């Protein structure tokens, strides 16, 4: 049997694919169905590519157990069991399964249940052995399979990065979406539900085939699939939303198409961000995950800010930083280098560290970047470090943040005091101080939604936030607080707008005007 190349992957013929989808639904081969069958422990272990608990949970002969063993655990199943669970001739002719060496049936691709934004039952199709998150490295064991593809061209399934980006993506329906570097089509799948047209690109032709399979099996409209690097496949076209989980790994060479961008350092992410405005409609967003270098003598915030195109607001969030050694070890394990002989592993490790030393890199940051094309003469740009838990999906919070930048840009201090505000949902006040003292040392506002921020406020700020219910303008509230505290209302009106701006930007106050 020949290699599973772009020519011999399953064929998404509509009738056969629909019958396969109906069979998967009938067997409850869905995210919820698999969780119920396997239980929380085995299901969580499966997300780490640990299969033993799931194998123990699927020792019966039910159709769902058969499908889990076939597609998730990638074990051969008896032909009779496969025929009971699937339209067997369809999936054989369509190339989804093939005869195994033991006379049973085995999968040719990984088919993984996935829940959509509104609870839709979807499936992500990727290469065998490419469930993300396993300790064994991507594609572990694929080289032992008959017809295994070149590991450098492997196409990954859904993992933590994919779901994080999907949660970050803005939710407002739009006309045109570009999924740049689509891989197995996870972001294109999400975009299909809120866009009139989805264009998906990838430099790897196998990835485009997998994206086509993912969309077809999930029963969503097909995307316009184009091969090429970065923005080359779309020419001068413009979009309302560009979303990308790019090959952002900062590596000394291009070994794996899915992760190594083939440019020096963090140049791929810089290029993707820097050219985004040329392909965005006014008001459009570009959202991506990225790595960036922490270079000696340079502020990482200024480095990433320098990538931004003119006339764009941006929100840059750094979620974590790894030192060069830890970063190299992470991606060496991802590539399976820890399974090679010690000398080869050490040589590759040294190559990574030598490249970081040459570039004076002291750490690597990971996070997300959202760019919005506004045409503003003075763009609003925030670059911050936020390693704390956030609420997902965060897309609505990101849209709110950019809307607040528009609001604050339109309102000077006088206009701000003429506006009405309300306290955001699930914001609480905490008073911190020594037991028995009359007055607290600190008053803290804490939000339980969105970024889940906390901010210290003074007595005026706490009093202002506490009475913001939309019934009074900010100016009238400030005047009342001044009278209550015996302060000069003019002085208080002069200094309070800065606090209001901060509380609005951080999401504690919601403008009603």
């Amino acid at each position: 049997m020949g290699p599973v190349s772009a020519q011999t992957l399953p064929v998404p013929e509509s009738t056969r694919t629909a019958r396969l989808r109906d069979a998967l639904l009938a067997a409850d081969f869905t995210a919820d169905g698999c969780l119920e069958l396997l239980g929380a422990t085995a299901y969580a272990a499966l997300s780490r590519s640990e299969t033993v608990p799931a194998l123990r949970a699927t020792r019966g002969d039910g159709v769902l157990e058969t499908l889990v063993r076939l597609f998730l655990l990638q074990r051969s199943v008896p032909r009779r069991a496969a025929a009971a669970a699937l339209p067997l001739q369809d999936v054989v002719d369509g190339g989804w399964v093939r005869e195994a060496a033991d006379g049973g049936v085995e999968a040719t691709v990984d088919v993984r249940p996935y829940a959509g934004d509104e609870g839709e039952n979807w499936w992500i199709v990727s290469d065998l052995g490419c469930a993300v998150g396993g300790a064994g490295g991507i594609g572990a064991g694929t080289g032992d399979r008959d017809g295994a593809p070149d590991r450098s061209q492997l196409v990954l399934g859904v993992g933590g990065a994919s779901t994080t980006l999907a949660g970050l993506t803005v939710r407002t329906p739009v006309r045109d979406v570009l999924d740049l570097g689509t891989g197995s089509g996870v972001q294109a799948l999400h975009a299909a539900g809120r866009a009139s047209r989805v264009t998906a690109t990838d430099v790897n032709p196998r990835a485009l085939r997998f994206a086509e399979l993912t969309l077809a099996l999930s029963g969503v409209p097909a995307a316009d699939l184009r091969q090429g690097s970065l923005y080359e496949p779309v020419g001068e076209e413009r979009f309302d939303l560009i979303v990308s989980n790019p090959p952002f790994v900062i590596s000394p060479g291009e070994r794996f198409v899915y992760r190594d961008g083939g440019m020096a350092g963090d140049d791929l992410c810089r290029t993707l961000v820097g050219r985004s405005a040329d392909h965005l409609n006014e008001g459009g967003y570009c959202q991506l995950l990225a790595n960036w270098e922490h270079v000696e003598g340079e502020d990482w915030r200024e480095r990433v800010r320098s990538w931004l195109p003119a006339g764009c607001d941006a929100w840059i969030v750094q979620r974590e930083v790894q030192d060069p050694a830890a970063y190299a070890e992470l991606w060496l394990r991802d590539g399976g280098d820890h399974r090679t002989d010690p000398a080869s592993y050490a040589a590759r490790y040294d190559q990574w560290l030598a490249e970081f030393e040459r570039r004076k890199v002291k750490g690597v940051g990971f996070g997300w970047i959202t760019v919005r094309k506004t045409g503003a003469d003075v763009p609003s740009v925030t670059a911050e470090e936020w390693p704390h838990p956030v609420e997902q999906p965060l897309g609505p919070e990101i849209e709110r943040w950019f809307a607040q930048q528009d609001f604050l840009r339109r309102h000077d201090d006088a206009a701000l005091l003429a506006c009405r505000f309300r306290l955001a949902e699930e914001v609480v006040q905490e008073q911190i101080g020594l037991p028995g003292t009359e007055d607290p040392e600190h008053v803290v506002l804490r939000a339980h939604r969105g970024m889940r921020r906390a901010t210290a406020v003074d007595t005026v700020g706490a009093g202002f936030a506490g009475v913001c219910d939309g019934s009074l303008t900010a100016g009238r509230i400030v005047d009342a607080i001044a009278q209550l505290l015996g302060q000069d209302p003019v002085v208080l009106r002069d200094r309070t707008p800065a606090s209001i701006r901060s509380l609005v930007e951080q999401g504690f106050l919601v403008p009603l005007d």
Side-chain angles (χ1 to χ4, degrees), residues 386 397 400 404 421-429 444-449 451-457 461 464-466 468 499-511:
W386 192 258
E397 171 70 5
R400 182 210 62 78
Q404 304 304 53
F421 301 88
R422 67 168 174 81
L423 194 64
E425 295 180 5
E426 297 190 40
V427 172
V428 298
Q429 176 179 304
V444 174
L445 298 181
R446 186 176 303 278
H448 293 284
R449 303 296 303 273
M451 294 289 283
R452 296 174 175 161
R453 296 185 186 276
T455 187
V457 293
F464 183 90
C468 277
S499 298
I500 296 174
R501 288 183 184 279
S502 177
L503 292 175
V504 169
E505 184 169 13
Q506 295 182 73
F508 292 101
L509 292 180
V510 179

Side-chain angles (χ1 to χ4, degrees), residues 353-420:
L353 296 185
E355 180 67 10
F356 282 138
E357 183 178 347
R358 186 184 69 80
R359 297 179 61 82
K360 298 182 179 180
V361 174
K362 61 181 181 179
V364 177
F366 168 79
W368 63 71
I369 301 172
T370 301
V371 175
R372 182 169 178 248
K373 186 174 182 178
T374 62
D377 294 332
V378 183
S380 176
V381 176
T382 295
E384 61 177 322
E385 190 162 6
W386 192 258
H388 313 293
V390 300
E391 179 187 33
Q392 281 283 31
L394 198 64
E397 171 70 5
I398 289 176
E399 287 187 269
R400 182 210 62 78
W401 188 90
F402 282 92
Q404 304 304 53
Q405 307 315 305
D406 290 341
F407 170 83
L408 294 172
R409 190 159 35 223
R410 292 194 305 267
H411 291 75
D412 60 17
D413 288 355
L416 208 61
L417 290 172
C419 291
R420 297 171 299 119

Side-chain angles (χ1 to χ4, degrees), residues 431-443 459:
Q431 297 186 357
I432 302 173
L434 294 173
T437 56
E438 183 174 346
D439 296 318
E441 295 179 19
H442 303 285
V443 177
T459 302

Side-chain angles (χ1 to χ4, degrees), residues 8 16 33 104 106 113 118 127 179 188 222 238 242 301 326 358 369 401 409 440 467:
T8 57
R16 287 176 180 157
E106 64 181 6
E118 305 297 330
D127 269 312
D179 176 12
R238 294 176 183 266
I242 299 170
R301 296 169 182 82
R358 186 184 69 80
I369 301 172
W401 188 90
R409 190 159 35 223
V467 298

